[in-house]
Amino acid sequence: MEEKKDKTVEKTSTRRDFLKKAAVTTAGAAAAVSTIGAPAVHAKKTYTWRMVTTWPPHFPVFGEAADKLAEWVDVMSQGRLKIQVYGGGELVPPLQAFDAVSQGMVEMGHGASYYWAGKSPATQFFAQVPFGMNAQQMTAWIYGGGGLKVWEELYAKFNLVPFPVGNSGVQMGGWFNKEINSINDYKGLKMRIPGLGGKVIAKAGGSAVLSAGGEIYTNLERGVIDATEWVGPYHDYLMGFHKVAKYYYYPGWHEPGLNLEMFVNKSKFDALPKDLQEIIRAAAYRSHWFEFAEFESKNVEYLNKLVNEENVKLKAFPDQVLKDLKKLSGEVLQEVVESDADSRKVWDSYSAFRKKVSQWSEVTEQAYAKTFDM
Ligand code: CA
């Protein structure tokens, strides 16, 4: 009996506590509602930030995405965060964007992480890997497979916070004035090709030349370079490469899904109110799909223009050439990973995810692609 009575007391007091807590919570909620309803005593702080980009001003897709991101943040924040976007060279030279943001000279930057290989070779893996993951898989690795975490850890060393803001999809292989029938055709070939892909060309006996976007056309026309890659049909058409090169090769094995980035000074980002941080994050997500959809929808339109109106000779790399390039890419990757601890760390995450997602792809994308010709 005693025991039973005690339990009843315990139960009653628990219930009383619960009711008390519930009452407190209700009062809290009421207070919160009245705060929202009340006129703000202090106006919220507004911020004016600057974003430097690696692109020419308002450059199709890449630069447009930066402009749009600034507009979206302005609207979502009701004018509390204004971002002024600068083309490459307007405030700092394009390839100094990383340092400018890292050092806090400006708050934000926009580019592709393989431009910063000189700062840390590991940055390259967040842009693209030759014969690596495509846009869908890169996006899955970054957002869902732990990629963003290793990216944030790497960039924190430079006082930066990275955000994915787009993906080009599989790029084109490039513009050539001679046919590529075997790997030996790369011997002595001077090609404008950035990043790890350039290292692969060098291993094949060619030389990778670095030229800023504005110089490529003239260099190709004058024979300073024999070949170039750029992006895809939309951008390549606007550059006019079809006027100075005969063959347009595919696929872009060196850039199978270029991930674009925005980076924010970490001290400045951490000091922002939480809602503005989330607004930046949401705008970056939107930008990621804006860019991807622009590339995927515009490229095919311009490929048709190039082939049907400009009589460009569209050619596939022979299978054996791709096999040889893939082998050389493996060697390049191994060298990078073995010579740098950060690259090893990022590569471990990248390659483990790739293995997993490839297994899934076998029964989905790859199996489905076979039905295209049925
Ligand atoms: Ca490219």
Side-chain angles (χ1 to χ4, degrees):
M1 276 304 276
E2 272 301 300
E3 206 183 312
K4 200 178 176 186
K5 196 184 165 192
D6 281 345
K7 267 193 182 163
T8 313
V9 170
E10 200 180 280
K11 235 186 224 170
T12 313
S13 81
T14 309
R15 189 170 170 274
R16 214 177 284 136
D17 282 352
F18 171 74
L19 287 175
K20 219 190 275 171
K21 274 182 199 153
V24 170
T25 312
T26 312
V33 168
S34 78
T35 310
I36 290 166
V41 180
H42 301 289
K44 282 184 176 167
K45 190 177 170 186
T46 62
Y47 299 79
T48 302
W49 277 16
R50 294 186 293 180
M51 185 200 280
V52 289
T53 73
T54 57
W55 322 114
H58 321 295
F59 193 59
V61 190
F62 303 103
E64 278 174 348
D67 294 341
K68 282 185 183 291
L69 189 138
E71 282 169 33
W72 297 332
V73 168
D74 186 11
V75 172
M76 284 194 280
S77 71
Q78 298 183 322
R80 285 165 56 221
L81 177 52
K82 300 261 184 213
I83 301 169
Q84 294 163 347
V85 180
Y86 295 86
E90 287 186 331
L91 207 56
V92 297
L95 300 184
Q96 280 173 28
F98 190 90
D99 282 341
V101 181
S102 174
Q103 290 159 12
M105 191 188 135
V106 291
E107 293 81 5
M108 308 173 102
H110 202 276
S113 63
Y114 55 23
Y115 292 145
W116 324 124
K119 299 279 161 197
S120 163
T123 58
Q124 299 175 97
F125 297 105
F126 301 107
Q128 55 82 40
V129 168
F131 296 97
M133 291 194 276
N134 64 17
Q136 184 172 325
Q137 296 166 339
M138 273 298 276
T139 302
W141 173 53
I142 291 170
Y143 283 133
L148 189 57
K149 191 170 169 283
V150 282
W151 195 4
E152 285 171 346
E153 283 167 8
L154 179 70
Y155 272 37
K157 294 184 178 185
F158 300 94
N159 194 33
L160 295 172
V161 186
F163 299 85
V165 289
N167 195 299
S168 69
V170 180
Q171 298 197 3
M172 287 296 281
W175 297 88
F176 297 78
N177 273 315
K178 67 169 193 176
E179 288 187 40
I180 299 292
N181 296 315
S182 92
I183 193 79
N184 293 326
D185 290 321
Y186 279 101
K187 287 212 168 80
L189 187 89
K190 284 175 285 176
M191 181 169 184
R192 184 269 173 196
I193 174 169
L196 295 166
K199 290 203 162 68
V200 176
I201 295 303
K203 256 190 191 294
S207 46
V209 180
L210 288 178
S211 333
E215 298 163 5
I216 306 174
Y217 182 94
T218 321
N219 285 350
L220 192 57
E221 192 183 30
R222 293 184 185 162
V224 176
I225 52 174
D226 307 310
T228 188
E229 70 80 57
W230 184 232
V231 186
Y234 179 35
H235 288 81
D236 294 11
Y237 177 91
L238 298 177
M239 293 289 267
F241 294 139
H242 52 280
K243 292 172 196 154
V244 286
K246 268 191 232 164
Y247 305 110
Y248 196 20
Y249 271 90
Y250 69 91
W253 54 271
H254 61 295
E255 292 194 77
L258 172 66
N259 179 64
L260 285 314
E261 65 168 8
M262 174 174 77
F263 39 96
V264 181
N265 179 280
K266 192 172 185 302
S267 316
K268 299 268 171 69
F269 185 77
D270 290 346
L272 274 185
K274 287 280 176 278
D275 63 327
L276 293 184
Q277 290 181 354
E278 289 308 314
I279 283 170
I280 289 174
R281 227 182 285 282
Y285 261 85
R286 183 174 174 187
S287 174
H288 196 75
W289 294 109
F290 163 76
E291 286 204 27
F292 180 69
E294 281 291 290
F295 283 117
E296 206 65 4
S297 57
K298 294 232 164 70
N299 273 331
V300 65
E301 196 184 307
Y302 282 83
L303 180 64
N304 289 336
K305 255 187 212 289
L306 285 168
V307 173
N308 301 329
E309 295 170 20
E310 308 294 338
N311 300 314
V312 162
K313 290 197 182 76
L314 184 65
K315 291 182 90 66
F317 286 117
D319 287 354
Q320 191 57 48
V321 169
L322 290 173
K323 273 183 201 165
D324 294 338
L325 289 169
K326 193 172 181 178
K327 188 174 165 281
L328 296 175
S329 298
E331 292 171 21
V332 165
L333 286 169
Q334 202 178 341
E335 286 164 16
V336 173
V337 167
E338 279 172 4
S339 62
D340 174 52
D342 283 333
S343 294
R344 159 66 65 191
K345 194 179 165 198
V346 177
W347 177 247
D348 283 350
S349 169
Y350 182 102
S351 55
F353 184 80
R354 189 184 186 193
K355 203 174 161 194
K356 210 163 63 172
V357 84
S358 299
Q359 200 187 345
W360 175 236
S361 171
E362 267 175 43
V363 297
T364 52
E365 310 303 325
Q366 288 179 51
Y368 181 61
K370 284 183 196 159
T371 68
F372 293 176
D373 300 327
M374 285 176 183

